[in-house]
Amino acid sequence: MCRNIKKLRRPESLPSDEELYEAALQFVRKISGYRQPARRNQEAFEHAVEQVSAAARVLFEQLR
């Protein structure tokens, strides 16, 4: 689905906040169909990126 999203799981370290944000942004762009949403959709778009990024952070913190 998202060929441009790189694997972030590394045995030596957790992904940085920036890496998680960039991956979340790419994912939300892909599933929404917007590269840059209209002004009226900007808040929803940014909220989705924040939520995906936060969920990814929880995932990486819980993986063993």
Side-chain angles (χ1 to χ4, degrees):
M1 179 175 143
C2 296
R3 291 179 286 175
N4 295 336
I5 296 177
K6 63 182 181 174
K7 181 176 89 171
L8 298 178
R9 187 173 53 88
R10 298 179 296 269
E12 67 278 359
S13 66
L14 292 174
S16 69
D17 289 340
E18 183 178 348
E19 288 174 312
L20 290 176
Y21 175 84
E22 291 298 323
L25 178 61
Q26 185 67 26
F27 179 75
V28 171
R29 283 176 174 166
K30 183 71 170 184
I31 64 171
S32 71
Y34 290 112
R35 170 124 176 86
Q36 184 65 37
R39 209 174 302 147
R40 68 178 182 260
N41 296 325
Q42 187 68 35
E43 187 176 333
F45 189 87
E46 289 174 3
H47 182 71
V49 172
E50 290 170 10
Q51 292 294 314
V52 170
S53 184
R57 172 61 64 206
V58 170
L59 171 67
F60 281 108
E61 288 173 351
Q62 293 180 358
L63 290 176
R64 301 196 189 280

